Amino acid sequence: MSSLNALIAILGWAPMAVVLFAVLPPRRAAIGGAIGAWLLLPPIVIDLPGFPDYGKSTAATVGILIGTAIFESHRLFSFRVRWFDMPIILFCITPLLSSLSNDLGVYDGLSGSFQQMVRWFFPYLIGRLYLTDLDAMREMAMGILIGGLWLLPLVLFEMRMSPRLMQDIYGVGNWEGAIRFGGYRPRVFFTSGLELGLWMSAVSLVAWLLWRGEALRRIAGVPGGVVVATLFVVTLLCRSTGSTVLLFLAMAALWTSWRFQSKKPMWALLWAAPIYCALRVSQLWSGDQIVALSRILINESRARSLEYRLINDEILIAKMFQQPFFGWGGFGRSLVYDEYGRVLSVPDGMWIAYLSSLGLLGLFLMNTSVLVPASMFIRRFPITLWRHPLVVPAIAICGLVCFMLLDGLFNGMLNLIYIIGAGGLANLGALPGNSRVLSDAQGEGEATELARPLTHSSRHDVSTPAARLRALGIALKAEGRIAEAKRAWERGLALLTPYSTSWCDQANDLAWLLANTPDLDERDPARAVELGRSIVQVHPKSPTYWNTLGAALHRQGDHELALAALEEAIQHSQGGTPFDFLFLAMAHARRGEHEQASLALDKARSAMAKGPTGNPSLTLLYEEALSLLESHTAAT
């Protein structure tokens, strides 16, 4: 009867995920559907003829995508493949190429590619559809944290009573590996105690980062420091040596990056796994040093286990070189057998499994599918923002992606949560428009400029009520809730010392919104001019503030004064930005100065061509300026 419960849970999760879309905000439904499946469903796989194996990851992704198609179809229709999506798409095609190169047939190849899409591309697509800004990454990080806290009583129960929950509730599971270091090794609803330990390490990393970045103060009245300490203790009690080592490696890399204001430790953490793969495949390194280190730091048993895996990998690598580019394909052809047909070597790590079956191309594309999004994100956000509460959750997700690559060196457990996170990192790293959730610094395209208002304030100010109201206003504006964003920023200004740097930054945000929101009913040019004049008096050499004032004056109809303010912005920015030239073009057009307006529009077009694309504010203003110039030219 209990095994029937497992079947019902797996098959029933997709409809449950669709129900979540009916009762929750779409993004929260997607995050909850993925994390809930990963934590609650048993690790069984149902063999459906003609379809990919149906397990907890498949149930989650299918349910979320069906819910999206029903309730959020516009997300699917608006999705566009970008260059950074190509590695994971090509990775999903690789099984077909491998099958054809081994004469296994088109059907087998298409089946393998479909399986790869379900395991890799569908979760990645969910991240691309829903983790579109920093606020979404915060929800994802908090979902991971809350899911980890929910597991705590179950983990503690199994530490005391043995790993029996999966057997009691679902009727599946066994006692293999239940005893470790003199105590029960919990498993809850995961494949093994190792997989649970890796998840708890990931949760601990997220909690620590949120706490250090002042994005986690309390949960249900419990101080953030207590939450972090509790998670760390329980993670250690999971008795998973490898996951504990990964946790401290990630913590060390991030702490070093913060301490020395350098991205190099994070780059090293991200590239450690691909470099390991390259050294092992090229046979430039045997790995004996880490075996010896494991023998010294841990124990002889762990060292022998690691040594066995390394020898196993070498045997599989030797066979791979007989079919190096596309690998051996499926049906166990990549394994090594003796003369009696007994298996001598099987892949333990995810990297060696893909290398054996899909060859060098498959290994390269697997790594690239994860490296590209994470690298784009690390490159996009300046190190000065890595401890800001708005950015820290995304840093945590990036750390989990590094987890995935490093764990894949010795284990073959694929976590869909990490792949969803990779899709979100691609969004943040690629689209300048998404970085505007940090600030609306006139969309000049560079992350440092987009983050300028945040870096003006000291890090200690981010936890103040005014700073929280500013962050709330940014999030509300990103969601199109303009009236609520205005109220949040006005309340924040009232809490700040007038004309301080923080006050000016927040006043600039509000003035820009009041002057340029697409919702004409919410515009208030007079108030925007009032704020703009105040901030340029305090910071007379700030091109951003002069641009805001010029835009507000133009909206108010004071085109001559607007031209003067915009010329100040151009002077102080050493050449001007597209925003300066677009408002110059509109102000000249309103004054009937068509030649000057055309010249300014040409400069704007030239500046836009040199900079990054994808800023929706800039696109809207360009279309407005072009339309205004054409209408005024036709009228004369």
Side-chain angles (χ1 to χ4, degrees):
M1 181 63 181
S2 293
S3 58
L4 179 62
N5 292 345
L7 190 64
I8 293 172
I10 288 289
L11 295 178
W13 189 263
M16 177 63 70
V18 175
V19 171
L20 290 178
F21 278 87
V23 299
L24 294 175
R27 185 167 65 199
R28 198 160 295 177
I31 293 172
I35 295 176
W38 190 248
L39 300 185
L40 298 175
L41 295 182
I44 67 169
V45 175
I46 302 173
D47 184 14
L48 299 176
F51 293 92
D53 294 341
Y54 196 87
K56 60 165 67 179
S57 296
T58 309
T61 54
V62 168
I64 293 169
L65 291 177
I66 292 175
T68 300
I70 295 173
F71 295 97
E72 293 286 303
S73 58
H74 66 277
R75 293 181 186 267
L76 291 173
F77 289 123
S78 63
F79 176 75
R80 297 292 182 272
V81 174
R82 300 284 303 278
W83 66 266
F84 48 84
D85 300 321
M86 293 311 299
I88 199 165
I89 292 173
L90 293 174
F91 183 45
C92 293
I93 297 174
T94 308
L96 174 60
L97 302 177
S98 179
S99 181
L100 294 176
S101 70
N102 285 282
D103 296 324
L104 297 178
V106 175
Y107 178 83
D108 173 73
L110 291 175
S111 176
S113 288
F114 189 30
Q115 177 82 15
Q116 198 92 309
M117 286 185 64
V118 172
R119 289 167 57 84
W120 283 83
F121 181 73
F122 286 175
Y124 175 86
L125 176 62
I126 291 170
R128 289 276 277 115
L129 293 176
Y130 288 100
L131 302 185
T132 55
D133 53 37
L134 290 174
D135 189 52
M137 294 299 247
R138 179 187 60 80
E139 286 198 26
M140 183 69 170
M142 289 303 298
I144 292 171
L145 174 57
I146 293 170
L149 293 175
W150 178 86
L151 279 180
L152 286 182
L154 305 183
V155 172
L156 293 173
F157 172 83
E158 289 200 340
M159 286 178 184
R160 179 68 180 86
M161 303 301 295
S162 78
R164 54 182 296 175
L165 287 173
M166 189 152 53
Q167 177 67 38
D168 290 347
I169 295 174
Y170 293 118
V172 296
N174 54 53
W175 279 68
E176 183 179 354
I179 303 295
R180 173 72 67 86
F181 299 129
Y184 289 122
R185 190 185 195 188
R187 181 182 56 200
V188 193
F189 305 127
F190 289 84
T191 304
S192 63
L194 173 59
E195 191 173 54
L196 171 64
L198 286 165
W199 177 256
M200 293 307 299
S201 291
V203 174
S204 297
L205 178 66
V206 170
W208 176 73
L209 284 167
L210 295 179
W211 176 63
R212 287 297 304 269
E214 300 181 2
L216 174 65
R217 292 193 165 274
R218 289 181 177 274
I219 291 185
V222 180
V226 174
V227 172
V228 173
T230 302
L231 284 169
F232 267 76
V233 170
V234 173
T235 298
L236 293 175
L237 291 176
C238 285
R239 298 174 172 86
S240 176
T241 306
S243 61
T244 303
V245 171
L246 282 181
L247 171 60
F248 286 113
L249 277 176
M251 289 176 61
L254 286 159
W255 181 86
T256 307
S257 293
W258 284 341
R259 175 66 178 81
F260 297 102
Q261 290 291 282
S262 171
K263 295 181 181 181
K264 291 180 180 179
M266 195 63 179
W267 283 119
L269 185 71
L270 177 63
W271 282 89
I275 290 173
Y276 173 94
C277 294
L279 292 175
R280 296 286 289 144
V281 170
S282 62
Q283 300 179 338
L284 293 176
W285 184 50
S286 66
D288 292 342
Q289 292 83 355
I290 58 173
V291 174
L293 189 63
S294 177
R295 184 171 286 114
I296 295 171
L297 298 180
I298 306 175
N299 56 40
E300 180 64 28
S301 175
R302 294 294 92 200
R304 284 200 303 268
S305 174
L306 181 59
E307 185 176 29
Y308 171 77
R309 296 188 186 203
L310 293 174
I311 294 173
N312 201 45
D313 291 348
E314 289 175 358
I315 296 173
L316 292 169
I317 290 170
K319 182 171 183 179
M320 180 275 303
F321 274 113
Q322 299 173 30
Q323 293 273 53
F325 196 69
F326 292 113
W328 286 91
F331 302 105
R333 300 175 77 251
S334 63
L335 306 182
V336 177
Y337 303 89
D338 64 12
E339 64 271 21
Y340 303 105
R342 293 174 299 193
V343 176
L344 295 178
S345 186
V346 296
D348 279 320
M350 184 166 59
W351 79 278
I352 192 67
Y354 283 121
L355 176 67
S356 299
S357 60
L358 302 180
L360 293 172
L361 178 63
L363 177 64
F364 172 77
L365 290 173
M366 183 207 75
N367 280 311
T368 308
S369 298
V370 179
L371 282 173
V372 168
S375 298
M376 291 166 59
F377 170 78
I378 293 173
R379 181 177 177 274
R380 166 62 60 189
F381 286 84
I383 190 67
T384 52
L385 290 179
W386 280 24
R387 287 189 67 171
H388 193 281
L390 290 175
V391 182
V392 159
I395 296 292
I397 301 300
C398 189
L400 298 189
V401 169
C402 296
F403 247 60
M404 172 183 170
L405 287 175
L406 289 169
D407 176 57
L409 298 179
F410 302 103
N411 300 295
M413 299 170 291
L414 186 62
N415 189 326
L416 85 157
I417 307 300
Y418 302 160
I419 305 177
I420 292 173
L425 293 176
N427 285 329
L428 294 181
L431 301 178
N434 282 335
S435 297
R436 287 166 56 248
V437 74
L438 287 174
S439 72
D440 197 12
Q442 321 316 313
E444 293 177 20
E446 295 299 328
T448 51
E449 185 63 21
L450 289 164
R452 180 196 52 75
L454 291 178
T455 55
H456 275 186
S457 302
S458 69
R459 187 179 66 84
H460 301 290
D461 290 338
V462 298
S463 61
T464 64
R468 287 196 291 272
L469 284 167
R470 185 185 183 202
L472 175 61
I474 291 171
L476 290 169
K477 178 189 173 186
E479 294 178 5
R481 297 157 65 179
I482 304 302
E484 296 171 78
K486 285 166 54 177
R487 286 195 295 271
W489 278 336
E490 289 282 14
R491 288 170 56 199
L493 284 179
L495 297 175
L496 291 168
T497 303
Y499 311 118
S500 64
T501 300
S502 297
W503 186 93
C504 290
D505 286 338
Q506 195 150 322
N508 183 68
D509 292 339
L510 180 58
W512 182 260
L513 177 70
L514 295 173
N516 295 294
T517 175
D519 188 348
L520 299 182
D521 293 335
E522 295 295 339
R523 285 188 182 179
D524 188 352
R527 173 68 170 147
V529 169
E530 176 189 349
L531 292 169
R533 283 176 171 157
S534 298
I535 59 180
V536 297
Q537 288 176 3
V538 179
H539 295 281
K541 294 185 178 181
S542 169
T544 298
Y545 292 169
W546 277 111
N547 177 270
T548 299
L549 177 58
L553 288 166
H554 167 71
R555 298 299 187 197
Q556 188 171 250
D558 296 332
H559 305 302
E560 184 175 355
L561 293 177
L563 290 171
L566 294 167
E567 290 293 347
E568 287 281 349
I570 293 171
Q571 177 183 344
H572 293 299
S573 64
Q574 298 180 346
T577 69
F579 286 84
D580 297 326
F581 295 125
L582 288 174
F583 278 106
L584 272 180
M586 288 190 281
H588 280 302
R590 291 288 187 187
R591 287 167 54 85
E593 299 165 350
H594 307 305
E595 184 177 347
Q596 294 94 321
S598 297
L599 180 61
L601 190 62
D602 288 340
K603 290 183 178 180
R605 191 181 297 112
S606 176
M608 291 170 66
K610 295 177 182 178
T613 60
N615 190 311
S617 292
L618 191 60
T619 302
L620 288 174
L621 286 174
Y622 175 78
E623 293 173 354
E624 180 185 357
L626 183 61
S627 176
L628 182 63
L629 184 58
E630 289 175 348
S631 63
H632 276 257
T633 302
T636 56

